[in-house]
Amino acid sequence: MNSNQKYDYVPLKRPIPITEQHWPKGTLPLVHTRTMTFMHEKYIRECIEGILMQKTTFPVQMLIHDDASSDKTVDIIREYEQKFPQLIKVLYQKENSHSKPDKNERRSEFWSWRIGKYETICEGDDYWIDPLKLQEQVEFMESHPEYGVTGTSAYMLIDKTGKVKPLPVIETEYRFEDLILGNRISNLTSCIRMDLIRQYIDEIKPEKRGWKSGDYPMWLYLSKVSTIKCLPFRSAVYRVLEESASHSRDNKKLLDFSRYHHSLRKFYLNYFQGSDKLYHKADLISYRESSTLAIIAKDYPLCDEIYNFYISNGYKGLARFFKLKKRFPKIIRYLDLLERLLIKTGIIKLPI
């Protein structure tokens, strides 16, 4: 769709549930929600209900892409699709996208449905809890065009134990210099200007880069071409599964993901010609993230690389602790805690 397309509609006087709204045929959604799901039989109903509870003054389109689930995920989605056919559009993929090299080509139909001015994301194992999430984010962005993305705080749900942890509620702005040091935006809380997503896709072409995540590379780009705002409320629940791209019991997988983040930071620092100081900070935080995992996974070349970086840059405290961890791997977690405490109290000094 042309990014200059107008969204002609008369706003409702007050927010009402999106399931009760009736817009003239052909009215473009101001917002579309996007849900990717695969084998989420236990979770998808909660995800869909969290979107359907939204109350807005503007039209919304709900998009779901099932990636060839073989459990009852599809049955549950069809139930909602039949109940709300004007609101929900679904792409039922016949083959899993990770099993075929042409996965991006087969998603072109789903891409053509993404016609809202804003895009919001809620994957099939997460869910929203605030019925005014969309209303508050869109109202803010309509009146503040300088912001390309808004996010909120959230709750973290440990799927195995059922334990729920509230994440801090803050109101702040994030720029490239903040996000290059770590991903601070929860994907499921985001609201993004669709024209900037198109710009990112056209300029960076992420589908050709083999990246292991979709959100962090995009946040890094968008934080450079716009400003990201975190609004001060919790809107969603992020479910932490035992096995995912960023969470695993396999230390080698976690190490691979940490090294991927390092390569991603280097890519964007090179792309945007980041300062030597920022490049150094990114290296330092990446090596610290990888240090314990490198020892546990017995990746000795990486261990040497990390130790040499600490020594050559004068981080004697980190170098000493790294040697202790290598010598006493059975108590490495306790040494990690002690190292963080010494950094927090300023005994070990870092530039970050």
Side-chain angles (χ1 to χ4, degrees):
M1 190 190 83
N2 189 318
S3 61
N4 294 321
Q5 177 70 54
K6 293 183 178 179
Y7 297 86
D8 293 323
Y9 70 97
V10 178
L12 302 174
K13 293 182 179 179
R14 61 181 177 83
I16 67 171
I18 60 175
T19 55
E20 298 176 11
Q21 296 178 12
H22 301 283
W23 300 96
K25 188 175 181 180
T27 301
L28 292 176
L30 187 66
V31 176
H32 65 257
T33 69
R34 180 164 64 89
T35 296
M36 291 290 293
T37 184
F38 175 67
M39 305 296 282
H40 287 152
E41 174 186 335
K42 293 196 301 181
Y43 315 123
I44 190 63
R45 190 178 297 278
E46 202 164 21
C47 171
I48 294 173
E49 289 287 352
I51 298 173
L52 293 177
M53 69 153 53
Q54 293 300 302
K55 298 178 179 180
T56 68
T57 58
F58 48 78
V60 175
Q61 178 79 66
M62 183 174 172
L63 307 179
I64 303 175
H65 180 179
D66 178 74
D67 199 8
S69 299
S70 59
D71 61 359
K72 293 183 179 179
T73 300
V74 169
D75 295 334
I76 296 170
I77 294 172
R78 287 193 191 281
E79 172 191 329
Y80 284 97
E81 182 186 23
Q82 292 168 4
K83 189 174 181 181
F84 303 105
Q86 302 303 316
L87 180 61
I88 300 176
K89 293 185 72 171
V90 187
L91 177 64
Y92 298 101
Q93 196 157 301
K94 294 181 179 179
E95 294 178 298
N96 183 263
S97 63
H98 294 285
S99 66
K100 297 290 180 179
D102 64 339
K103 62 180 181 179
N104 293 301
E105 182 179 331
R106 289 182 286 113
R107 290 181 181 180
S108 60
E109 180 182 2
F110 191 74
W111 174 261
S112 70
W113 295 350
R114 296 163 68 180
I115 59 174
K117 182 178 180 181
Y118 301 98
E119 175 168 283
T120 58
I121 302 168
C122 188
E123 307 293 24
D125 53 347
D126 299 323
Y127 60 98
W128 295 345
I129 56 172
D130 189 330
L132 293 176
K133 174 191 184 295
L134 295 182
Q135 184 70 28
E136 293 194 32
Q137 288 182 283
V138 170
E139 277 187 3
F140 178 86
M141 296 181 77
E142 286 286 273
S143 59
H144 296 83
E146 68 272 24
Y147 293 99
V149 183
T150 58
T152 76
S153 185
Y155 292 91
M156 183 180 292
L157 169 61
I158 309 302
D159 189 59
K160 183 177 180 180
T161 63
K163 184 177 179 180
V164 177
K165 176 185 177 182
L167 300 178
V169 174
I170 56 173
E171 182 173 12
T172 189
E173 295 181 354
Y174 293 125
R175 291 179 171 79
F176 180 73
E177 292 74 17
D178 304 308
L179 295 189
I180 201 72
L181 303 180
N183 188 356
R184 292 169 167 81
I185 302 296
S186 296
N187 201 26
L188 75 158
T189 74
S190 63
C191 182
I192 317 154
R193 293 188 188 276
M194 195 61 201
D195 60 340
L196 290 181
I197 294 179
R198 294 189 188 92
Q199 180 179 319
Y200 163 69
I201 297 293
D202 291 343
E203 184 175 336
I204 301 298
K205 297 178 173 53
E207 72 281 357
K208 296 182 178 180
R209 301 191 179 279
W211 286 337
K212 297 181 180 181
S213 60
D215 57 345
Y216 192 33
M218 185 166 66
W219 302 151
L220 287 170
Y221 176 82
L222 296 182
S223 67
K224 192 65 175 179
V225 300
S226 68
T227 304
I228 296 176
K229 176 79 171 183
C230 184
L231 300 176
F233 64 97
R234 296 188 184 98
S235 67
V237 176
Y238 169 60
R239 196 184 305 269
V240 180
L241 304 177
E242 282 196 271
E243 290 294 325
S244 67
S246 56
H247 296 90
S248 176
R249 291 174 294 179
D250 186 327
N251 289 308
K252 188 176 184 307
K253 285 184 179 179
L254 290 175
L255 179 59
D256 287 344
F257 197 75
S258 180
R259 299 193 76 172
Y260 154 70
H261 268 188
H262 196 180
S263 66
L264 195 62
R265 288 164 177 149
K266 286 186 174 181
F267 169 84
Y268 275 106
L269 285 166
N270 289 333
Y271 190 82
F272 289 122
Q273 299 181 338
S275 67
D276 291 342
K277 183 178 180 180
L278 189 57
Y279 207 114
H280 179 82
K281 285 184 177 183
D283 276 345
L284 176 59
I285 201 163
S286 293
Y287 283 134
R288 287 193 60 223
E289 288 173 352
S290 299
S291 62
T292 294
L293 291 168
I295 293 170
I296 294 173
K298 299 181 179 180
D299 187 330
Y300 299 121
L302 179 57
C303 286
D304 291 341
E305 186 180 331
I306 293 170
Y307 182 75
N308 290 334
F309 175 84
Y310 289 161
I311 290 296
S312 63
N313 287 282
Y315 299 122
K316 295 180 180 179
L318 291 179
R320 291 193 192 100
F321 264 89
F322 193 72
K323 288 182 70 175
L324 280 173
K325 292 174 189 178
K326 285 185 70 178
R327 186 175 179 183
F328 303 106
K330 290 185 178 180
I331 60 169
I332 198 167
R333 299 301 181 188
Y334 296 103
L335 292 172
D336 274 341
L337 290 172
L338 179 57
E339 181 185 71
R340 286 197 291 269
L341 178 62
L342 293 178
I343 291 172
K344 186 175 182 179
T345 56
I347 296 175
I348 295 179
K349 298 186 181 300
L350 300 180
I352 299 175

